[in-house]
């Protein structure tokens, strides 16, 4: 069952994964979830967190800025520095 759950998470888009993760955090913070269920949803939350981190890393790798030569023509790309 856990393998199916992990497989499902691997198919989630970022927006859906983060939405579900936020829902899990809210439920756990309320403290009204039985212990066994808390452990199970915490584990799913960890899986969702890893998925979000993976998708963010992929997006970051794709973002780059265009580098222009002296005449203003594109000569390549370099990683985008957002700091």
């Amino acid at each position: 069952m856990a393998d199916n759950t992990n497989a499902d998470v691997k198919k989630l888009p970022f927006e859906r994964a983060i939405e579900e993760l936020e829902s899990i955090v809210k439920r756990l913070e309320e403290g009204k979830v039985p212990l066994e269920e808390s452990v199970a949803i915490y584990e799913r939350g960890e899986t969702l967190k890893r998925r979000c981190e993976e998708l963010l890393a992929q997006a970051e790798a794709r973002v780059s800025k265009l580098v222009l030569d002296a005449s203003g023509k594109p000569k390549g790309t370099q990683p985008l520095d957002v700091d």
Side-chain angles (χ1 to χ4, degrees), residues 5-37:
T5 301
N6 289 341
D8 292 343
V9 169
K10 289 183 182 216
K11 296 177 186 175
L12 289 176
F14 178 81
E15 292 78 8
R16 179 67 186 111
I18 197 77
E19 180 182 289
E20 186 176 343
L21 182 56
E22 289 171 346
S23 173
I24 287 171
V25 169
K26 182 178 178 183
R27 288 182 66 201
L28 289 172
E29 286 178 342
E30 289 173 352
K32 298 178 182 176
V33 182
L35 179 60
E36 286 297 318
E37 186 178 351

Side-chain angles (χ1 to χ4, degrees), residues 6-73:
N6 289 341
D8 292 343
V9 169
K10 289 183 182 216
K11 296 177 186 175
L12 289 176
F14 178 81
E15 292 78 8
R16 179 67 186 111
I18 197 77
E19 180 182 289
E20 186 176 343
L21 182 56
E22 289 171 346
S23 173
I24 287 171
V25 169
K26 182 178 178 183
R27 288 182 66 201
L28 289 172
E29 286 178 342
E30 289 173 352
K32 298 178 182 176
V33 182
L35 179 60
E36 286 297 318
E37 186 178 351
S38 291
V39 171
I41 65 174
Y42 178 85
E43 290 171 345
R44 178 151 177 97
E46 281 295 317
T47 303
L48 289 162
K49 179 180 84 74
R50 284 191 301 274
R51 173 67 176 160
C52 289
E53 290 171 342
E54 171 188 313
L55 291 170
L56 286 171
Q58 290 173 5
E60 185 177 62
R62 291 175 47 201
V63 174
S64 61
K65 69 178 180 180
L66 194 56
V67 178
L68 304 176
D69 64 16
S71 66
K73 294 181 182 176

